[in-house]
Amino acid sequence: MASTDYLKILIVTFNCGRELIKPNAFAQHLSDTLESSPRPDIIVFSLQEVAPVAYSFLGGSYLSPYFQSFRHAVDVAAKALGGVAKYVNIITRNVGMTACMVLILDELQEQIQWIETGDVGLGMHEMGNKGAVGVRLGYAVPNDDEVMDLTFVAAHLAPMEDGLERRNDDWKNIVRGLVFAPINGRSKQDPSSAEPNEEEESETLLQNQRRPQGIYTPTSHLLLAGDLNYRTSHTKPLPLDHLNFPQPTRDISDPRHFSHLLQNDQLSPERKEDRTCHGFSEAAIRFPPT
């Protein structure tokens, strides 16, 4: 759960394994999270392998049931907590098998002033079996003149223990290639729905041409979630390695506790050496491997 001074945001990252989720079962996990945290104003899903390959690339009605299952899960979770909260899916975008869904409390959706999206395909021939999707939105802070920029990036990077350099290269390609464009003709540069005169229209067009924006911008909060695939080993598991795998225990001093895996985490040293996820800080890991 992320939080600003004005908003509480729940970010869920999930690899669907190319299967439809079971909304009632998924809703139970959401309910457990919502019960232990303040009610989120915004829920963001970062989804990987959201559907079978063919459906992911055909899109449209082939993908609709997969996204609808997440909306249904949110509805079920909200009802389980008394039905007070109602969430509206304001934007869903995918590139191949990677998707980002943003839902907001119904009573807050009018606070959304503009939405921009972008995507970049990665993986084999950069066709999108891996990739990243970005959603940037402007949120009008209630009782304030501020419009707060929020950027969410859902990503799926290269797999395998020996794929470290490919993962770092994927990140470089995300930074280089993910450029945001407005939807419905509204963006940060042109938040008004009023029709501009010819001079204003030309000026706005020039501004938009001068200011293509990637994921890094000094005015926006930036939140990244996904299946980044950084591992805790540079080699594949050997047949007997399962003997040393983490086991359920609350004793941190126990060598079987999952926290000991983090000593060999690939992501942390790469991030600290500015080879990936530049400028990010990682949320604390308080859960064992699945």
Side-chain angles (χ1 to χ4, degrees):
M1 179 83 74
S3 179
T4 70
D5 292 338
Y6 310 102
L7 283 173
K8 294 180 177 62
I9 303 169
L10 174 63
I11 303 177
V12 180
T13 179
F14 186 67
N15 190 313
C16 308
R18 311 179 192 184
E19 297 284 346
L20 270 170
I21 63 166
K22 297 179 180 178
N24 290 332
F26 198 89
Q28 182 60 58
H29 294 288
L30 285 177
S31 299
D32 292 343
T33 301
L34 297 178
E35 284 179 340
S36 61
S37 306
R39 183 185 71 176
D41 302 301
I42 295 175
I43 299 175
V44 180
F45 288 115
S46 169
L47 305 175
Q48 310 88 44
E49 299 187 15
V50 66
V53 175
Y55 289 6
S56 296
F57 287 99
L58 288 169
S61 61
Y62 290 94
L63 270 181
S64 294
Y66 295 85
F67 294 133
Q68 181 57 36
S69 64
F70 283 95
R71 299 184 191 104
H72 182 43
V74 171
D75 290 342
V76 172
K79 289 179 181 177
L81 298 177
V84 177
K86 179 183 178 183
Y87 290 92
V88 178
N89 183 194
I90 58 171
I91 184 72
T92 296
R93 283 291 184 271
N94 77 290
V95 56
M97 302 171 73
T98 305
C100 183
M101 302 179 68
V102 180
L103 299 91
I104 189 169
L105 283 171
D106 185 33
E107 62 264 30
L108 295 178
Q109 64 174 315
E110 291 185 358
Q111 304 304 119
I112 302 301
Q113 303 299 294
W114 47 265
I115 301 176
E116 298 177 344
T117 63
D119 60 68
V120 58
L122 303 172
M124 185 179 298
H125 304 300
E126 299 181 351
M127 67 179 184
N129 62 311
K130 299 290 189 290
V133 181
V135 173
R136 176 170 291 151
L137 54 86
Y139 177 84
V141 179
N143 305 316
D144 199 315
D145 293 331
E146 178 186 0
V147 175
M148 181 166 51
D149 296 10
L150 298 166
T151 302
F152 306 104
V153 176
H156 193 187
L157 308 186
M160 310 306 290
E161 285 79 4
D162 60 358
L164 178 60
E165 293 302 323
R166 286 188 292 138
R167 287 186 275 282
N168 289 351
D169 286 341
D170 282 348
W171 176 252
K172 292 177 185 176
N173 289 326
I174 290 171
V175 175
R176 291 170 179 165
L178 202 162
V179 178
F180 289 85
I183 64 169
N184 300 328
R186 299 180 66 188
S187 69
K188 182 179 179 181
Q189 286 77 30
D190 182 22
S192 173
S193 59
E195 292 188 9
N197 59 39
E198 185 175 342
E199 182 178 347
E200 290 172 335
E201 192 173 42
S202 298
E203 182 179 350
T204 300
L205 179 60
L206 288 172
Q207 286 177 344
N208 287 340
Q209 288 175 341
R210 285 197 303 264
R211 298 181 62 186
Q213 293 191 338
I215 66 172
Y216 290 108
T217 175
T219 60
S220 181
H221 298 275
L222 176 56
L223 299 156
L224 166 70
D227 188 348
L228 304 187
N229 261 320
Y230 287 93
R231 306 299 175 94
T232 57
S233 173
H234 294 285
T235 58
K236 294 181 179 180
L238 297 174
L240 296 180
D241 280 353
H242 71 277
L243 299 175
N244 298 318
F245 284 177
Q247 299 298 320
T249 177
R250 296 181 181 273
D251 182 3
I252 296 179
S253 64
D254 190 325
R256 297 173 299 174
H257 191 273
F258 72 86
S259 61
H260 296 277
L261 275 178
L262 303 181
Q263 298 171 5
N264 300 311
D265 172 37
Q266 290 181 344
L267 177 58
S268 294
E270 296 300 303
R271 181 173 54 82
K272 291 174 182 176
E273 292 295 328
D274 286 332
R275 290 190 285 263
T276 190
C277 299
H278 305 79
F280 281 89
S281 58
E282 186 180 12
I285 299 174
R286 298 191 177 94
F287 54 90
T290 56

